[in-house]
Amino acid sequence: MNVGNRSGQIFLACSAIVMLLMFLLAACDQPERLRSNAELGLNEQQARGRAIYDLRCAACHEPYRKKDLNGPTMSGVFKKSYLPSGMVARDDRVGDIILMGKPKMPAFGDVLTQQQLQDLLAYMHTL
Ligand code: HEC
């Protein structure tokens, strides 16, 4: 085995380790994303809401991380009295935002049924 091959192998091994560490870091950063509904203690309605959230909202709003993505984080959205924008954090207000959208957020009024909206809000209360 020549030296070139050996350093190549070491490089590959190091890359694999770095990738593994990065994956673990990402998983540790947001462990809730990997947990099952049962592990998170979600009831049936909240679990239905979680599926809707992951499909429609998660691309723009972090559910479990206090970091903004394309929109403000939804972590702890109902735990405080006010939304990041200063609006009161109440089901009817948040529901209106979801149905009507915002300048940089699509409206979901044509997409979600009233039941789906309720499921979504129920899940968001667990964040
Ligand atoms: C394409 C990206 C995008 C998607 C998808 C999206 N949002 Fe948003 N959302 C935003 C942005 C950006 C804002 C900030 C307001 C603005 O700049 O228009 C926002 C604002 C909000 C707010 C108001 C926060 C405040 O402080 O007033 C709520 C609540 C919200 N989004 C919930 C949701 C939910 C629930 C979904 C899924 C049904 C969703 N959003 C889907 C981008 C998105």
Side-chain angles (χ1 to χ4, degrees), residues 42-67:
L42 302 184
N43 65 29
E44 261 180 54
Q45 181 181 31
Q46 291 159 349
R48 286 197 304 268
R50 183 189 195 189
I52 298 166
Y53 189 94
D54 283 348
L55 182 68
R56 310 271 184 202
C57 322
C60 292
H61 298 286
E62 292 278 12
Y64 297 108
R65 220 167 18 165
K66 301 240 171 280
K67 196 180 142 246

PDB file of all heavy atoms in Angstrom, residues 42-67:
ATOM      1  N   LEU A  42     -48.538  13.144  22.228  1.00  0.00           N
ATOM      2  CA  LEU A  42     -49.600  13.821  21.472  1.00  0.00           C
ATOM      3  C   LEU A  42     -50.859  12.963  21.455  1.00  0.00           C
ATOM      4  O   LEU A  42     -50.781  11.750  21.257  1.00  0.00           O
ATOM      5  CB  LEU A  42     -49.142  14.071  20.025  1.00  0.00           C
ATOM      6  CG  LEU A  42     -47.870  14.896  19.819  1.00  0.00           C
ATOM      7  CD1 LEU A  42     -47.628  15.127  18.334  1.00  0.00           C
ATOM      8  CD2 LEU A  42     -47.954  16.231  20.557  1.00  0.00           C
ATOM      9  N   ASN A  43     -52.014  13.598  21.630  1.00  0.00           N
ATOM     10  CA  ASN A  43     -53.270  12.863  21.463  1.00  0.00           C
ATOM     11  C   ASN A  43     -53.578  12.771  19.966  1.00  0.00           C
ATOM     12  O   ASN A  43     -52.837  13.297  19.134  1.00  0.00           O
ATOM     13  CB  ASN A  43     -54.397  13.507  22.271  1.00  0.00           C
ATOM     14  CG  ASN A  43     -54.756  14.906  21.789  1.00  0.00           C
ATOM     15  OD1 ASN A  43     -54.598  15.220  20.611  1.00  0.00           O
ATOM     16  ND2 ASN A  43     -55.235  15.743  22.688  1.00  0.00           N
ATOM     17  N   GLU A  44     -54.692  12.114  19.628  1.00  0.00           N
ATOM     18  CA  GLU A  44     -54.988  11.866  18.211  1.00  0.00           C
ATOM     19  C   GLU A  44     -55.119  13.150  17.407  1.00  0.00           C
ATOM     20  O   GLU A  44     -54.609  13.260  16.298  1.00  0.00           O
ATOM     21  CB  GLU A  44     -56.292  11.079  18.091  1.00  0.00           C
ATOM     22  CG  GLU A  44     -56.096   9.599  17.886  1.00  0.00           C
ATOM     23  CD  GLU A  44     -57.423   8.877  17.776  1.00  0.00           C
ATOM     24  OE1 GLU A  44     -58.237   9.277  16.932  1.00  0.00           O
ATOM     25  OE2 GLU A  44     -57.633   7.929  18.568  1.00  0.00           O
ATOM     26  N   GLN A  45     -55.804  14.125  17.985  1.00  0.00           N
ATOM     27  CA  GLN A  45     -56.008  15.385  17.273  1.00  0.00           C
ATOM     28  C   GLN A  45     -54.676  16.101  17.057  1.00  0.00           C
ATOM     29  O   GLN A  45     -54.396  16.589  15.960  1.00  0.00           O
ATOM     30  CB  GLN A  45     -56.960  16.292  18.056  1.00  0.00           C
ATOM     31  CG  GLN A  45     -57.194  17.605  17.324  1.00  0.00           C
ATOM     32  CD  GLN A  45     -58.114  18.561  18.064  1.00  0.00           C
ATOM     33  OE1 GLN A  45     -58.158  18.574  19.291  1.00  0.00           O
ATOM     34  NE2 GLN A  45     -58.856  19.348  17.312  1.00  0.00           N
ATOM     35  N   GLN A  46     -53.864  16.134  18.107  1.00  0.00           N
ATOM     36  CA  GLN A  46     -52.559  16.803  17.996  1.00  0.00           C
ATOM     37  C   GLN A  46     -51.676  16.089  16.975  1.00  0.00           C
ATOM     38  O   GLN A  46     -50.922  16.730  16.243  1.00  0.00           O
ATOM     39  CB  GLN A  46     -51.886  16.835  19.360  1.00  0.00           C
ATOM     40  CG  GLN A  46     -52.592  17.768  20.347  1.00  0.00           C
ATOM     41  CD  GLN A  46     -52.260  17.437  21.794  1.00  0.00           C
ATOM     42  OE1 GLN A  46     -51.676  16.401  22.098  1.00  0.00           O
ATOM     43  NE2 GLN A  46     -52.643  18.328  22.700  1.00  0.00           N
ATOM     44  N   ALA A  47     -51.779  14.774  16.925  1.00  0.00           N
ATOM     45  CA  ALA A  47     -50.979  14.004  15.970  1.00  0.00           C
ATOM     46  C   ALA A  47     -51.418  14.327  14.536  1.00  0.00           C
ATOM     47  O   ALA A  47     -50.585  14.463  13.634  1.00  0.00           O
ATOM     48  CB  ALA A  47     -51.110  12.508  16.255  1.00  0.00           C
ATOM     49  N   ARG A  48     -52.722  14.485  14.327  1.00  0.00           N
ATOM     50  CA  ARG A  48     -53.210  14.884  12.991  1.00  0.00           C
ATOM     51  C   ARG A  48     -52.681  16.281  12.661  1.00  0.00           C
ATOM     52  O   ARG A  48     -52.250  16.548  11.538  1.00  0.00           O
ATOM     53  CB  ARG A  48     -54.744  14.896  12.962  1.00  0.00           C
ATOM     54  CG  ARG A  48     -55.389  13.526  12.931  1.00  0.00           C
ATOM     55  CD  ARG A  48     -56.841  13.606  12.479  1.00  0.00           C
ATOM     56  NE  ARG A  48     -57.649  14.510  13.299  1.00  0.00           N
ATOM     57  CZ  ARG A  48     -58.342  14.128  14.375  1.00  0.00           C
ATOM     58  NH1 ARG A  48     -58.347  12.865  14.751  1.00  0.00           N
ATOM     59  NH2 ARG A  48     -59.060  15.008  15.058  1.00  0.00           N
ATOM     60  N   GLY A  49     -52.680  17.150  13.657  1.00  0.00           N
ATOM     61  CA  GLY A  49     -52.174  18.507  13.456  1.00  0.00           C
ATOM     62  C   GLY A  49     -50.691  18.498  13.132  1.00  0.00           C
ATOM     63  O   GLY A  49     -50.224  19.292  12.312  1.00  0.00           O
ATOM     64  N   ARG A  50     -49.956  17.595  13.751  1.00  0.00           N
ATOM     65  CA  ARG A  50     -48.518  17.514  13.497  1.00  0.00           C
ATOM     66  C   ARG A  50     -48.244  17.168  12.025  1.00  0.00           C
ATOM     67  O   ARG A  50     -47.365  17.755  11.403  1.00  0.00           O
ATOM     68  CB  ARG A  50     -47.899  16.438  14.391  1.00  0.00           C
ATOM     69  CG  ARG A  50     -46.401  16.354  14.240  1.00  0.00           C
ATOM     70  CD  ARG A  50     -45.843  15.153  14.962  1.00  0.00           C
ATOM     71  NE  ARG A  50     -44.400  15.242  15.119  1.00  0.00           N
ATOM     72  CZ  ARG A  50     -43.645  14.259  15.566  1.00  0.00           C
ATOM     73  NH1 ARG A  50     -44.186  13.107  15.917  1.00  0.00           N
ATOM     74  NH2 ARG A  50     -42.350  14.409  15.670  1.00  0.00           N
ATOM     75  N   ALA A  51     -49.039  16.242  11.498  1.00  0.00           N
ATOM     76  CA  ALA A  51     -48.849  15.844  10.101  1.00  0.00           C
ATOM     77  C   ALA A  51     -49.111  17.034   9.176  1.00  0.00           C
ATOM     78  O   ALA A  51     -48.382  17.263   8.203  1.00  0.00           O
ATOM     79  CB  ALA A  51     -49.771  14.676   9.760  1.00  0.00           C
ATOM     80  N   ILE A  52     -50.146  17.805   9.488  1.00  0.00           N
ATOM     81  CA  ILE A  52     -50.465  18.989   8.677  1.00  0.00           C
ATOM     82  C   ILE A  52     -49.336  20.010   8.803  1.00  0.00           C
ATOM     83  O   ILE A  52     -48.898  20.595   7.817  1.00  0.00           O
ATOM     84  CB  ILE A  52     -51.810  19.610   9.127  1.00  0.00           C
ATOM     85  CG1 ILE A  52     -52.944  18.611   8.926  1.00  0.00           C
ATOM     86  CG2 ILE A  52     -52.093  20.902   8.360  1.00  0.00           C
ATOM     87  CD1 ILE A  52     -54.229  18.990   9.645  1.00  0.00           C
ATOM     88  N   TYR A  53     -48.869  20.197  10.021  1.00  0.00           N
ATOM     89  CA  TYR A  53     -47.793  21.168  10.252  1.00  0.00           C
ATOM     90  C   TYR A  53     -46.546  20.790   9.466  1.00  0.00           C
ATOM     91  O   TYR A  53     -45.931  21.629   8.793  1.00  0.00           O
ATOM     92  CB  TYR A  53     -47.461  21.257  11.755  1.00  0.00           C
ATOM     93  CG  TYR A  53     -46.518  22.389  12.062  1.00  0.00           C
ATOM     94  CD1 TYR A  53     -47.001  23.632  12.445  1.00  0.00           C
ATOM     95  CD2 TYR A  53     -45.138  22.236  11.895  1.00  0.00           C
ATOM     96  CE1 TYR A  53     -46.141  24.692  12.683  1.00  0.00           C
ATOM     97  CE2 TYR A  53     -44.278  23.287  12.129  1.00  0.00           C
ATOM     98  CZ  TYR A  53     -44.777  24.514  12.524  1.00  0.00           C
ATOM     99  OH  TYR A  53     -43.924  25.558  12.731  1.00  0.00           O
ATOM    100  N   ASP A  54     -46.163  19.516   9.555  1.00  0.00           N
ATOM    101  CA  ASP A  54     -44.945  19.074   8.869  1.00  0.00           C
ATOM    102  C   ASP A  54     -45.073  19.281   7.358  1.00  0.00           C
ATOM    103  O   ASP A  54     -44.109  19.624   6.684  1.00  0.00           O
ATOM    104  CB  ASP A  54     -44.655  17.602   9.185  1.00  0.00           C
ATOM    105  CG  ASP A  54     -44.067  17.447  10.585  1.00  0.00           C
ATOM    106  OD1 ASP A  54     -43.684  18.470  11.189  1.00  0.00           O
ATOM    107  OD2 ASP A  54     -44.003  16.308  11.081  1.00  0.00           O
ATOM    108  N   LEU A  55     -46.279  19.071   6.852  1.00  0.00           N
ATOM    109  CA  LEU A  55     -46.514  19.204   5.418  1.00  0.00           C
ATOM    110  C   LEU A  55     -46.574  20.664   4.974  1.00  0.00           C
ATOM    111  O   LEU A  55     -45.993  21.037   3.964  1.00  0.00           O
ATOM    112  CB  LEU A  55     -47.835  18.498   5.071  1.00  0.00           C
ATOM    113  CG  LEU A  55     -48.252  18.472   3.610  1.00  0.00           C
ATOM    114  CD1 LEU A  55     -47.303  17.581   2.811  1.00  0.00           C
ATOM    115  CD2 LEU A  55     -49.683  17.945   3.471  1.00  0.00           C
ATOM    116  N   ARG A  56     -47.294  21.492   5.731  1.00  0.00           N
ATOM    117  CA  ARG A  56     -47.617  22.849   5.265  1.00  0.00           C
ATOM    118  C   ARG A  56     -46.777  23.969   5.874  1.00  0.00           C
ATOM    119  O   ARG A  56     -46.706  25.040   5.285  1.00  0.00           O
ATOM    120  CB  ARG A  56     -49.090  23.173   5.588  1.00  0.00           C
ATOM    121  CG  ARG A  56     -50.084  22.134   5.160  1.00  0.00           C
ATOM    122  CD  ARG A  56     -50.529  22.394   3.769  1.00  0.00           C
ATOM    123  NE  ARG A  56     -51.564  21.457   3.357  1.00  0.00           N
ATOM    124  CZ  ARG A  56     -51.826  21.190   2.091  1.00  0.00           C
ATOM    125  NH1 ARG A  56     -51.151  21.807   1.144  1.00  0.00           N
ATOM    126  NH2 ARG A  56     -52.771  20.350   1.769  1.00  0.00           N
ATOM    127  N   CYS A  57     -46.236  23.756   7.048  1.00  0.00           N
ATOM    128  CA  CYS A  57     -45.648  24.883   7.785  1.00  0.00           C
ATOM    129  C   CYS A  57     -44.157  24.738   8.067  1.00  0.00           C
ATOM    130  O   CYS A  57     -43.450  25.742   8.180  1.00  0.00           O
ATOM    131  CB  CYS A  57     -46.372  25.085   9.121  1.00  0.00           C
ATOM    132  SG  CYS A  57     -48.161  24.835   9.066  1.00  0.00           S
ATOM    133  N   ALA A  58     -43.704  23.488   8.233  1.00  0.00           N
ATOM    134  CA  ALA A  58     -42.351  23.267   8.757  1.00  0.00           C
ATOM    135  C   ALA A  58     -41.258  23.817   7.832  1.00  0.00           C
ATOM    136  O   ALA A  58     -40.165  24.135   8.300  1.00  0.00           O
ATOM    137  CB  ALA A  58     -42.124  21.779   9.016  1.00  0.00           C
ATOM    138  N   ALA A  59     -41.553  23.942   6.548  1.00  0.00           N
ATOM    139  CA  ALA A  59     -40.545  24.461   5.627  1.00  0.00           C
ATOM    140  C   ALA A  59     -40.196  25.914   5.965  1.00  0.00           C
ATOM    141  O   ALA A  59     -39.097  26.373   5.667  1.00  0.00           O
ATOM    142  CB  ALA A  59     -41.033  24.359   4.184  1.00  0.00           C
ATOM    143  N   CYS A  60     -41.110  26.616   6.594  1.00  0.00           N
ATOM    144  CA  CYS A  60     -40.867  28.033   6.898  1.00  0.00           C
ATOM    145  C   CYS A  60     -40.784  28.326   8.391  1.00  0.00           C
ATOM    146  O   CYS A  60     -40.244  29.353   8.781  1.00  0.00           O
ATOM    147  CB  CYS A  60     -41.961  28.898   6.290  1.00  0.00           C
ATOM    148  SG  CYS A  60     -41.924  28.941   4.493  1.00  0.00           S
ATOM    149  N   HIS A  61     -41.369  27.465   9.216  1.00  0.00           N
ATOM    150  CA  HIS A  61     -41.385  27.736  10.657  1.00  0.00           C
ATOM    151  C   HIS A  61     -40.833  26.553  11.440  1.00  0.00           C
ATOM    152  O   HIS A  61     -41.435  25.481  11.424  1.00  0.00           O
ATOM    153  CB  HIS A  61     -42.816  27.982  11.150  1.00  0.00           C
ATOM    154  CG  HIS A  61     -43.491  29.160  10.530  1.00  0.00           C
ATOM    155  ND1 HIS A  61     -43.178  30.457  10.853  1.00  0.00           N
ATOM    156  CD2 HIS A  61     -44.481  29.244   9.612  1.00  0.00           C
ATOM    157  CE1 HIS A  61     -43.955  31.279  10.165  1.00  0.00           C
ATOM    158  NE2 HIS A  61     -44.750  30.573   9.389  1.00  0.00           N
ATOM    159  N   GLU A  62     -39.721  26.756  12.153  1.00  0.00           N
ATOM    160  CA  GLU A  62     -39.201  25.717  13.039  1.00  0.00           C
ATOM    161  C   GLU A  62     -40.246  25.423  14.110  1.00  0.00           C
ATOM    162  O   GLU A  62     -40.733  26.346  14.769  1.00  0.00           O
ATOM    163  CB  GLU A  62     -37.929  26.199  13.750  1.00  0.00           C
ATOM    164  CG  GLU A  62     -36.726  26.387  12.858  1.00  0.00           C
ATOM    165  CD  GLU A  62     -36.013  25.082  12.587  1.00  0.00           C
ATOM    166  OE1 GLU A  62     -36.573  24.007  12.897  1.00  0.00           O
ATOM    167  OE2 GLU A  62     -34.889  25.134  12.074  1.00  0.00           O
ATOM    168  N   PRO A  63     -40.590  24.146  14.319  1.00  0.00           N
ATOM    169  CA  PRO A  63     -41.540  23.853  15.375  1.00  0.00           C
ATOM    170  C   PRO A  63     -40.898  23.779  16.766  1.00  0.00           C
ATOM    171  O   PRO A  63     -41.504  24.178  17.748  1.00  0.00           O
ATOM    172  CB  PRO A  63     -42.127  22.504  14.980  1.00  0.00           C
ATOM    173  CG  PRO A  63     -41.115  21.876  14.096  1.00  0.00           C
ATOM    174  CD  PRO A  63     -40.315  22.978  13.479  1.00  0.00           C
ATOM    175  N   TYR A  64     -39.665  23.257  16.837  1.00  0.00           N
ATOM    176  CA  TYR A  64     -39.090  22.984  18.159  1.00  0.00           C
ATOM    177  C   TYR A  64     -37.828  23.775  18.435  1.00  0.00           C
ATOM    178  O   TYR A  64     -37.218  23.609  19.465  1.00  0.00           O
ATOM    179  CB  TYR A  64     -38.777  21.488  18.297  1.00  0.00           C
ATOM    180  CG  TYR A  64     -40.007  20.623  18.232  1.00  0.00           C
ATOM    181  CD1 TYR A  64     -40.266  19.841  17.121  1.00  0.00           C
ATOM    182  CD2 TYR A  64     -40.919  20.615  19.284  1.00  0.00           C
ATOM    183  CE1 TYR A  64     -41.404  19.055  17.059  1.00  0.00           C
ATOM    184  CE2 TYR A  64     -42.057  19.829  19.230  1.00  0.00           C
ATOM    185  CZ  TYR A  64     -42.291  19.049  18.106  1.00  0.00           C
ATOM    186  OH  TYR A  64     -43.413  18.282  18.053  1.00  0.00           O
ATOM    187  N   ARG A  65     -37.406  24.563  17.498  1.00  0.00           N
ATOM    188  CA  ARG A  65     -36.165  25.309  17.671  1.00  0.00           C
ATOM    189  C   ARG A  65     -36.463  26.789  17.725  1.00  0.00           C
ATOM    190  O   ARG A  65     -37.298  27.272  16.965  1.00  0.00           O
ATOM    191  CB  ARG A  65     -35.245  25.018  16.491  1.00  0.00           C
ATOM    192  CG  ARG A  65     -33.844  24.869  16.958  1.00  0.00           C
ATOM    193  CD  ARG A  65     -32.874  24.296  15.997  1.00  0.00           C
ATOM    194  NE  ARG A  65     -33.189  24.285  14.594  1.00  0.00           N
ATOM    195  CZ  ARG A  65     -32.263  24.068  13.688  1.00  0.00           C
ATOM    196  NH1 ARG A  65     -31.028  23.888  14.040  1.00  0.00           N
ATOM    197  NH2 ARG A  65     -32.589  24.024  12.413  1.00  0.00           N
ATOM    198  N   LYS A  66     -35.740  27.500  18.585  1.00  0.00           N
ATOM    199  CA  LYS A  66     -36.034  28.929  18.761  1.00  0.00           C
ATOM    200  C   LYS A  66     -35.368  29.775  17.685  1.00  0.00           C
ATOM    201  O   LYS A  66     -35.040  30.926  17.896  1.00  0.00           O
ATOM    202  CB  LYS A  66     -35.565  29.409  20.142  1.00  0.00           C
ATOM    203  CG  LYS A  66     -36.189  28.682  21.301  1.00  0.00           C
ATOM    204  CD  LYS A  66     -36.963  29.636  22.216  1.00  0.00           C
ATOM    205  CE  LYS A  66     -37.777  28.929  23.275  1.00  0.00           C
ATOM    206  NZ  LYS A  66     -39.050  28.386  22.805  1.00  0.00           N
ATOM    207  N   LYS A  67     -35.158  29.181  16.528  1.00  0.00           N
ATOM    208  CA  LYS A  67     -34.459  29.868  15.455  1.00  0.00           C
ATOM    209  C   LYS A  67     -35.478  30.207  14.371  1.00  0.00           C
ATOM    210  O   LYS A  67     -36.370  29.407  14.111  1.00  0.00           O
ATOM    211  CB  LYS A  67     -33.405  28.901  14.914  1.00  0.00           C
ATOM    212  CG  LYS A  67     -32.339  29.504  14.075  1.00  0.00           C
ATOM    213  CD  LYS A  67     -31.373  28.412  13.627  1.00  0.00           C
ATOM    214  CE  LYS A  67     -30.927  28.668  12.224  1.00  0.00           C
ATOM    215  NZ  LYS A  67     -31.336  27.710  11.240  1.00  0.00           N
TER     216      LYS A  67
END
